Amino acid sequence: HLDASGQLVFPGFIDPHVHSRDPGATHKETFHHSTLGALCGGTTTVLEMPNAVPAVTDVATFERRRAEHGEKAWVDFGLWGMALGPANLNEIIGLHRAGAVAVKFFWGYALDRRTKGLVYDFSAAPPDSLLLPPENGEVLEMFREVASYGGVLAAHCEDRHILARSAELLGHPISTYDDLLAARPAAAEATSIAVGAQFARLTGCRFHVVHMASAEGTRVVREARAAGVPITAETCPHYLTLTDRDAARLGPAIKVYPPVRTGADQEALWAAIGDGVISSIGSDHAPHLVEEKMLGFGQAPAGGLGVETLAPLMVDAMVRGRLSPVRLAQVLSSSTAALYGLWPRKGAVRPGADADLTLVDPSGGHSISHDRMHALNPVTAWDGWTLRGRVTTAVLGGEVAMRDGEPVGGRRGRFVAADHARSRG
Ligand code: DOR
Ligand code: ZN
Ligand code: ZN
């Protein structure tokens, strides 16, 4: 029995940006923990990023991941593929046919050939074990390939040459948050976005910018869209709720790539949500060990928790008037579903949808604390925050699956294949 009196009923929220570390780094997080966190936070579908170890660079790995995750999923899930450039150009159409929601290209990162894991900081690594990110000519080739089958190419946008030179110019190791911002300037993001926009215009390939963090990047996307380029963008709650001024208080808990920037950047992102330049919000859930996150701004790995706080933080923003309920439904569900080929099954409350719902009490409240999180390493940037509005209930496939932050019944998550042809038709 479901009583929704006084509540807002949303199409089930989708988190399109989750790194569950499973397999490969299950001491940091597992698919069990991340999907349980998703459910308890009011998210009914997650799209799992391809950079577990081994990374999802071919169809065989995709199928294995699909089977393994199917056993652990508390919510429905889709899978990303990874695009490496020439090294797996002939695999990406297969990933698309297998139902990958999109392929992601990590502009500034290398791949370890041995482990098939992503290497974030490869300045010190032995070059012969690394597959470096492709040159721009090879990136253009990737755009052509993805365009040929009508898929979506998404990218982590930070130009690696700008990152390398900026770190060099800094002249000393990163020790403060200002150092970190100097080593990863907004120009690195905006440059990659601008190159991607050019390639999208040339090839007609749909290009999606994940976790956009800067006003500069936002401006490039807005101009390209105005010129008719098929480019879309995502941002994340940390860019919308934190700024560099929180770094002193939070320490390396705030460290994420691309970095959280200034209040002016944050305002530009909110404006872009308002005018449609940003059409999807994901958490970039990217857990690490608690001890690792205390290593300092230079040494701590980048990434933090997000999947369980995505909906509560965005609901709070809605109650405070930052975005309307309809806009919230779009950026957390219907636009995201359309973008990743999950339409019409997800993101719609209508015939053909599969009855995933998220219920919100706008007059309720919610407080975030480490000890109530379901993550394996529960350290969150929002510990101690008191939010307005409350996600009360999640319905998965027509059945109540979560009430008041705890699961109801067993796990019932299922794999969802993207179908881009149907989505666009
Ligand atoms: O901060 C980040 N962490 N940014 C990324 O792009 C990757 C992620 C991770 O997987 O740790
Ligand atoms: Zn990324
Ligand atoms: Zn990410």
Side-chain angles (χ1 to χ4, degrees), residues 17 19 49 51 104 106 156 210-211 257 284-286:
H17 197 142
H19 302 267
M49 279 293 170
N51 62 316
K104 180 169 176 185
F106 291 78
H156 174 120
V210 298
H211 55 44
Y257 294 161
D284 203 357
H285 184 71

Side-chain angles (χ1 to χ4, degrees), residues 34 65 106 108 110 129 145 152 237 253 268 281 283 319 338 348 372 378 413 416:
S34 64
R65 198 71 31 99
F106 291 78
S129 72
E145 177 68 13
V152 177
I281 298 179
S283 71
V319 174
R372 280 202 297 279
V416 199

Side-chain angles (χ1 to χ4, degrees), residues 124-392:
D128 51 324
S129 72
L130 293 180
L131 182 66
L132 292 180
E135 299 300 332
N136 280 351
E138 297 167 331
V139 174
L140 175 56
E141 207 175 356
M142 236 156 47
F143 273 75
R144 287 213 173 87
E145 177 68 13
V146 176
S148 76
Y149 62 72
V152 177
L153 183 61
H156 174 120
C157 291
E158 285 186 294
D159 181 273
R160 74 176 168 103
H161 301 290
I162 295 181
L163 295 186
R165 190 67 185 128
S166 303
E168 221 171 289
L169 287 172
L170 187 62
H172 59 85
I174 290 164
S175 67
T176 66
Y177 197 69
D178 282 345
D179 291 347
L180 186 72
L181 288 181
R184 305 188 89 91
E189 178 172 80
T191 299
S192 286
I193 295 174
V195 172
Q198 286 296 320
F199 293 173
R201 187 174 61 79
L202 269 168
T203 60
C205 179
R206 287 185 290 161
F207 178 52
H208 184 57
V209 180
V210 298
H211 55 44
M212 191 163 68
S214 68
E216 236 356 84
T218 304
R219 198 171 62 81
V220 177
V221 175
R222 180 174 289 108
E223 284 173 5
R225 285 176 61 84
V229 175
I231 182 173
T232 50
E234 169 198 79
T235 193
C236 315
H238 36 283
Y239 304 123
L240 295 170
T241 61
L242 306 172
T243 69
D244 56 347
R245 301 179 66 165
D246 295 300
R249 179 175 58 84
L250 289 173
I254 200 177
K255 183 176 173 183
V256 57
Y257 294 161
V260 167
R261 300 187 187 281
T262 67
D265 289 287
Q266 183 171 102
E267 281 314 309
L269 295 171
W270 276 113
I273 288 172
D275 69 11
V277 166
I278 289 171
S279 56
S280 180
I281 298 179
S283 71
D284 203 357
H285 184 71
H288 294 286
L289 292 180
V290 178
E291 308 87 275
E292 288 175 321
K293 288 303 284 184
M294 305 198 303
L295 287 174
F297 286 118
Q299 294 248 304
L305 298 192
V307 76
E308 192 164 359
T309 45
L310 171 70
L313 287 165
M314 296 312 298
V315 162
D316 173 79
M318 177 197 75
V319 174
R320 290 170 195 270
R322 271 295 195 171
L323 75 175
S324 70
V326 167
R327 193 74 192 120
L328 185 71
Q330 291 167 341
V331 296
L332 284 186
S333 190
S334 59
S335 298
T336 300
L339 172 64
Y340 293 104
L342 304 176
W343 191 271
R345 286 193 55 210
K346 301 287 179 194
V349 182
R350 63 167 195 177
D354 65 355
D356 295 347
L357 305 171
T358 304
L359 273 60
V360 170
D361 175 3
S363 63
H366 177 81
S367 43
I368 300 177
S369 100
H370 296 312
D371 26 283
R372 280 202 297 279
M373 309 281 293
H374 292 81
L376 182 58
N377 286 277
V379 57
T380 167
W382 295 280
D383 180 57
W385 282 42
T386 301
L387 304 179
R388 294 170 69 177
R390 178 171 187 79
V391 178
T392 63

